[in-house]
Amino acid sequence: MKVFKFGGASMNSVDRIKNVAKIIQSFEKDQLLVIVSAIGKTTNALEKVAEAYFNERKEEALQLFEQIKNSHLTTLKYLTVTRWQEAENQLKEFFTEIEWLLHDAPVRKYDYYYDQIVCCGELLSTVILYHYLAEQHTSVGWLDARDVVRTDNNFRDANLDWAFTQQKTTDTLQHFFSKHNVVITQGFIGATDENESVTLGREGSDYSAALFANILESESVTIWKDVDAVMSADPKKYPSATNINSLSYAEVIEMAYYGAQVIHPKTIKPLQNKNIPLLVKSFLDPTLPGTCISNQFTKGLPPIIVYKESQVLIQFKSKDFSFMEDKPIHDLHEIFNEVRIKPNVTQNTAISLLCCFDDRTEKINELAARASVLFDVSMERSLSLLTIRHYQQDVINNLTKNTTILLEQKTPETLQMVIR
Ligand code: ASP
Ligand code: MG
């Protein structure tokens, strides 16, 4: 069995959906579990609905949702004839659920409503793809991932109930694959034991694909993207970026962790744990080799550049000149946990700790407020975090021209700098 994952960009027009179907059909002799994201920028659009709703701008929320409905209905119309009515009914069931929710005033926390609304993007995209494939006589089934992916109620970043998910997924998919070669399901979503919808964190579909692959012990996972392969840097920023055809899990987990937009950082562990290769391939040209990520160590990699913008550097300094040792460090990490934020890089001095974070304004303000009870807090915003793996001096010189380095950390493989 193989697992495929198609992201929003691969589904963002009628032609692209047909293209996704063509790729699936070229593999339909195999058993194929297909994980799909929401179409195009639907998740962002649904976030706007959730925001408007929660801020009690109900009419705006309904109107924004109407646009999402219409674009999905139009796409469906272009793709189906014989299955059109059945598919439309299925879409409308999801629409109705959301509209009911939008009509009542919010009484619970924002993150709960976010998940109830945002999860529908994946449900809609998969329904459309499923009916299109079925109309083309592909032997295909549609699975609501919320029936098998069980989590806690940490909305927007839910944690898996591994035992339940493993059992339910195995049983359910065994049943599906006894009837169909291809099963379509959603990435990014799951449900609590009270059947409330949850999401697994933005861009979480890669992670979903890896979870399914781990549980089903699939022979590989293929993530279909609009790039030819994983590259050594963002080519829009660094024109000298090159394709890399083979990478180790260890390399990719570091790249992703430091902010490379290739693959969601949580994707690697479930695959590495079962030694399942991850292929990154182009949905625009499936004949290209792409990138294979596996346990094979690759020698002679070019410098890999990861650039993360919108960073904030915060200094936490002890108020009474006590050393930054166990107790204050522990206190700070407690605050990070409470605010649910993680530093990207940290550096110790005798009486202070420097931390670089993604600048999510609300969280940063909350963090600063809480920490200032115990520490003197100062911060600088609008910075970038530059990570270079396998660095070479000429590359460093080039990248740091006209910048000021505020923090630097170096190991034999990795150089990280917070720069202004
Ligand atoms: N649709 C979700 C998002 O855009 C999940 C994903 O695409 O991986 O974040
Ligand atoms: Mg997406």
Side-chain angles (χ1 to χ4, degrees):
M1 202 221 25
K2 292 187 170 81
V3 172
F4 281 4
K5 181 261 172 171
F6 290 96
S10 67
M11 294 280 292
N12 71 1
S13 69
V14 168
D15 285 339
R16 286 216 167 158
I17 296 174
K18 287 184 180 170
N19 176 60
V20 165
K22 220 165 87 191
I23 294 174
I24 292 171
Q25 286 159 342
S26 70
F27 287 89
E28 72 184 309
K29 303 262 167 328
D30 298 324
Q31 286 188 335
L32 215 57
L33 176 65
V34 181
I35 315 297
V36 183
S37 304
I39 293 177
K41 300 273 178 238
T42 305
T43 304
N44 294 359
L46 287 164
E47 283 185 338
K48 296 246 151 51
V49 174
E51 270 164 40
Y53 164 74
F54 195 73
N55 293 308
E56 312 211 17
R57 302 192 308 267
K58 176 171 141 187
E59 287 315 313
E60 185 188 330
L62 283 165
Q63 206 197 329
L64 289 169
F65 190 60
E66 195 66 28
Q67 290 168 14
I68 296 169
K69 275 168 63 177
N70 289 338
S71 72
H72 283 83
L73 288 172
T74 307
T75 303
L76 179 71
K77 240 189 206 139
Y78 278 111
L79 285 167
T80 52
V81 180
T82 56
R83 312 237 347 166
W84 170 70
Q85 192 61 61
E86 191 188 334
E88 193 186 65
N89 290 345
Q90 207 180 339
L91 292 184
K92 284 186 170 166
E93 276 175 38
F94 293 128
F95 296 155
T96 309
E97 249 178 74
I98 305 281
E99 281 164 341
W100 274 354
L101 182 149
L102 296 180
H103 275 286
D104 289 331
V107 289
R108 296 180 60 169
K109 288 206 172 128
Y110 176 65
D111 289 355
Y112 164 80
Y113 291 109
Y114 176 102
D115 279 1
Q116 308 320 301
I117 294 167
V118 167
C119 75
C120 105
E122 279 43 32
L123 294 164
L124 304 178
S125 65
T126 51
V127 164
I128 293 174
L129 178 63
Y130 162 69
H131 285 283
Y132 176 69
L133 281 166
E135 195 169 302
Q136 307 269 312
H137 308 292
T138 300
S139 163
V140 62
W142 181 86
L143 168 68
D144 188 331
R146 297 172 302 176
D147 291 341
V148 297
V149 178
R150 168 68 60 83
T151 69
D152 64 6
N153 62 1
N154 187 22
F155 295 105
R156 288 187 75 180
D157 190 19
N159 304 295
L160 215 64
D161 173 344
W162 187 254
F164 181 97
T165 304
Q166 192 160 23
Q167 188 64 50
K168 195 73 196 280
T169 300
T170 309
D171 295 349
T172 308
L173 282 164
Q174 201 168 24
H175 175 73
F176 266 87
F177 280 122
S178 70
K179 295 198 289 187
H180 309 286
N181 287 2
V182 179
V183 179
I184 307 280
T185 194
Q186 308 78 37
F188 178 56
I189 68 173
T192 68
D193 57 1
E194 292 177 37
N195 272 326
E196 290 169 329
S197 302
V198 298
T199 64
L200 306 175
R202 284 302 308 261
E203 307 303 332
S205 295
D206 293 350
Y207 175 52
S208 301
L211 290 176
F212 282 115
N214 175 298
I215 292 169
L216 301 167
E217 311 211 334
S218 74
E219 62 177 87
S220 62
V221 174
T222 307
I223 296 188
W224 297 90
K225 291 179 76 84
D226 57 358
V227 293
D228 296 349
V230 176
M231 299 188 82
S232 61
D234 178 354
K236 281 183 223 123
K237 249 188 138 77
Y238 307 105
S240 58
T242 53
N243 288 344
I244 308 178
N245 294 115
S246 140
L247 281 166
S248 66
Y249 295 125
E251 188 66 40
V252 174
I253 203 167
E254 297 293 338
M255 286 168 72
Y257 187 80
Y258 293 134
Q261 298 290 314
V262 269
I263 287 150
H264 193 285
K266 279 158 102 180
T267 313
I268 298 300
K269 179 177 156 55
L271 300 179
Q272 186 278 339
N273 289 177
K274 293 259 174 93
N275 202 6
I276 299 168
L278 172 60
L279 311 170
V280 176
K281 282 180 68 82
S282 163
F283 62 75
L284 299 169
D285 186 355
T287 61
L288 295 174
T291 302
C292 177
I293 298 157
S294 69
N295 63 2
Q296 305 265 299
F297 175 75
T298 18
K299 268 195 257 164
L301 285 173
I304 295 177
I305 303 164
V306 183
Y307 194 78
K308 236 180 167 204
E309 290 177 326
S310 301
Q311 300 293 298
V312 51
L313 188 64
I314 308 189
Q315 185 182 49
F316 305 96
K317 199 165 155 202
S318 69
K319 291 194 189 222
D320 59 357
F321 263 62
S322 22
F323 290 126
M324 225 0 147
E325 285 176 344
D326 292 1
K327 169 83 171 88
I329 297 267
H330 177 84
D331 291 344
L332 261 178
H333 279 276
E334 268 203 341
I335 299 173
F336 296 168
N337 267 335
E338 283 159 21
V339 181
R340 303 182 54 76
I341 195 166
K342 282 192 202 107
N344 296 323
V345 202
T346 64
Q347 201 167 72
N348 243 112
T349 75
I351 57 164
S352 74
L353 185 70
L354 267 172
C355 299
C356 171
F357 298 93
D358 293 344
D359 192 355
R360 294 208 251 145
T361 314
E362 240 170 83
K363 289 203 176 214
I364 294 298
N365 292 345
E366 187 186 342
L367 169 64
R370 286 189 191 222
S372 58
V373 178
L374 300 171
F375 304 93
D376 285 331
V377 178
S378 57
M379 68 170 88
E380 181 169 345
R381 297 190 123 122
S382 303
L383 304 174
S384 302
L385 172 62
L386 177 61
T387 304
I388 314 174
R389 303 259 306 154
H390 322 292
Y391 51 86
Q392 295 163 0
Q393 196 53 48
D394 57 329
V395 177
I396 302 172
N397 295 347
N398 227 328
L399 292 173
T400 53
K401 236 186 283 160
N402 308 322
T403 66
T404 309
I405 301 169
L406 301 173
L407 180 158
E408 181 172 331
Q409 249 167 36
K410 220 173 191 175
T411 68
E413 312 76 62
T414 308
L415 169 66
Q416 289 200 289
M417 287 173 288
V418 177
I419 55 178
R420 183 197 295 137

